[in-house]
Amino acid sequence: MASPTGIQGLKIAILDDYQGVAREAGGFARLEDAGADVTVFREHLGHDDDAVASALAPFDVLVAMRERTPLTAARLERLPNVKLIVSTGRRNASIDLKATAARGITVCGTGYLPSPAAEHTWALIHAATRRLDAELGSGGSGWTGGTGWQHTVGRGLEGARLGLLGLGNLGSRVARVGLAFGMDVIAWSQNLDDERAAEVGVRRVGKEELFAEADILSVHLVLSKRTRGLVGAPELALMKPDALLVNTSRGPIVDEAALVDALEAGRIGGAALDVYDVEPLPADHPLRRAPRTFLTPHIGYVTREQYGVFYQDSVEDIEAWADGSPVRVMELPPK
């Protein structure tokens, strides 16, 4: 695609490129060759509105990596130069679309591969059930735990009950793997019906039964007003004392304080998490000290292939917008 003349002079900020791969993965050199000024922010700008506004004030275009840096109405008010926001993925709950619409800012999304998040769900399940935190060795560096050989007794998956909170695209992918392992798979969500469950080959149950019967309960819901805090103290109290809670969806779906309390009291067997209320997870956060936790830094979607889709589509979004024909535009849902 030939770069449009509207690229000339654009100041473009790429946010939260933690691994420093955006330029290579997306071909941003094409925009620079057309006269754009591209700046990469590898480090998170933090949670302070003043710091974010100060860093981003000069830019016309912001390329946001998912929800790493929220673009709220208060922040956008202090960014008068911004005309285009590109968010990787198809939706971004941390961008205030009412505020962007009011300010005439175009917001575009990108393609998204669902497979990495489903794969990472199983990576967490295996790490927790087979206690890879204690047993994983590395070549000549020996095994975690120092001298000795074998420190734990893992648990198998065949015959265990996998509970899925949500049976959409990602939940269905996780379900099929569970079925392949010989697990009994059950599911619940507000809108799930028997027909949809049968299509995937799982059994629909009630919400209380899901929490009470699952040996492993995995969250696969979109964050919304009705799902925020959906997994709270009452739901955790229903779980088996050796059950594992897995969340690769969104942190606020699970009440973190209630989860920490359940872990510290030994009321559930453990938690395997990739998402949190505040990211990056603060160094002093109680989850970092909670027992029987397996924590990863929101890398469920982070793969070479996914970043290729994200950043290549981002470049296309900027070129199309500069040419007067924006693509993959995010709009407010109808009332």
Side-chain angles (χ1 to χ4, degrees), residues 134-135 143-144 146-153:
E135 303 293 0
W143 272 258
T144 303
T147 59
W149 189 262
Q150 296 189 9
H151 303 279
T152 63
V153 177

Side-chain angles (χ1 to χ4, degrees), residues 71-116:
L71 296 170
T72 62
R75 289 181 176 182
L76 292 170
E77 186 176 353
R78 300 174 63 179
L79 300 175
N81 293 321
V82 173
K83 306 174 187 67
L84 171 67
I85 297 172
V86 176
S87 170
T88 57
R90 298 187 182 120
R91 63 172 69 92
N92 190 327
S94 72
I95 297 176
D96 190 324
L97 293 180
K98 288 184 179 179
T100 57
R103 301 186 68 84
I105 299 171
T106 302
V107 182
C108 298
T110 71
Y112 175 81
L113 302 177
S115 54

Side-chain angles (χ1 to χ4, degrees), residues 40-64:
V40 176
F41 291 90
R42 288 198 56 178
E43 300 298 324
H44 184 59
L45 293 175
H47 306 295
D48 180 73
D49 286 355
D50 290 339
V52 173
S54 176
L56 301 183
F59 294 97
D60 306 295
V61 178
L62 306 179
V63 179

Side-chain angles (χ1 to χ4, degrees), residues 167 187 192-205:
L167 196 64
L192 181 63
D193 56 30
D194 290 330
E195 182 179 4
R196 169 59 182 164
E199 287 176 1
V200 182
V202 309
R203 180 165 51 94
R204 183 180 71 87
V205 297

Side-chain angles (χ1 to χ4, degrees), residues 27-279:
F28 283 91
R30 190 163 77 227
L31 301 180
E32 292 176 310
D33 290 343
D37 179 6
V38 179
T39 300
V40 176
F41 291 90
R42 288 198 56 178
E43 300 298 324
H44 184 59
L45 293 175
H47 306 295
D48 180 73
D49 286 355
D50 290 339
V52 173
S54 176
L56 301 183
F59 294 97
D60 306 295
V61 178
L62 306 179
V63 179
M65 174 54 75
R66 303 296 295 274
E67 297 162 2
R68 291 176 181 174
T69 296
L71 296 170
T72 62
R75 289 181 176 182
L76 292 170
E77 186 176 353
R78 300 174 63 179
L79 300 175
N81 293 321
V82 173
K83 306 174 187 67
L84 171 67
I85 297 172
V86 176
S87 170
T88 57
R90 298 187 182 120
R91 63 172 69 92
N92 190 327
S94 72
I95 297 176
D96 190 324
L97 293 180
K98 288 184 179 179
T100 57
R103 301 186 68 84
I105 299 171
T106 302
V107 182
C108 298
T110 71
Y112 175 81
L113 302 177
S115 54
E119 293 166 0
H120 192 67
T121 297
W122 282 103
L124 283 173
I125 291 172
H126 287 307
T129 57
R130 300 306 293 268
R131 287 302 312 273
L132 296 187
D133 60 319
E135 303 293 0
L136 196 61
S138 176
S141 63
W143 272 258
T144 303
T147 59
W149 189 262
Q150 296 189 9
H151 303 279
T152 63
V153 177
R155 55 192 288 193
L157 299 178
E158 186 172 6
R161 182 163 290 143
L162 173 65
L164 298 174
L165 187 59
L167 196 64
N169 192 349
L170 289 174
S172 298
R173 288 171 179 264
V174 173
R176 295 186 186 101
V177 175
L179 292 169
F181 280 130
M183 302 181 76
D184 176 26
V185 184
I186 58 177
W188 174 86
S189 71
Q190 290 98 329
N191 298 325
L192 181 63
D193 56 30
D194 290 330
E195 182 179 4
R196 169 59 182 164
E199 287 176 1
V200 182
V202 309
R203 180 165 51 94
R204 183 180 71 87
V205 297
K207 179 183 176 184
E208 290 190 357
E209 184 178 351
L210 180 83
F211 282 90
E213 296 298 325
D215 298 302
I216 298 170
L217 193 145
S218 190
V219 179
H220 300 285
L221 295 173
V222 174
L223 179 62
S224 67
K225 289 183 179 179
R226 69 175 181 172
T227 62
R228 184 178 293 272
L230 183 63
V231 182
E235 289 74 25
L236 294 169
L238 293 170
M239 295 180 69
K240 299 177 181 180
D242 61 350
L244 174 70
L245 176 69
V246 183
N247 189 7
T248 57
S249 182
R250 288 295 182 272
I253 295 173
V254 178
D255 182 331
E256 285 186 347
L259 176 59
V260 169
D261 184 60
L263 288 165
E264 291 180 344
R267 290 194 295 271
I268 66 172
L273 310 174
D274 187 50
V275 290
Y276 312 92
D277 285 3
V278 176
E279 298 181 5

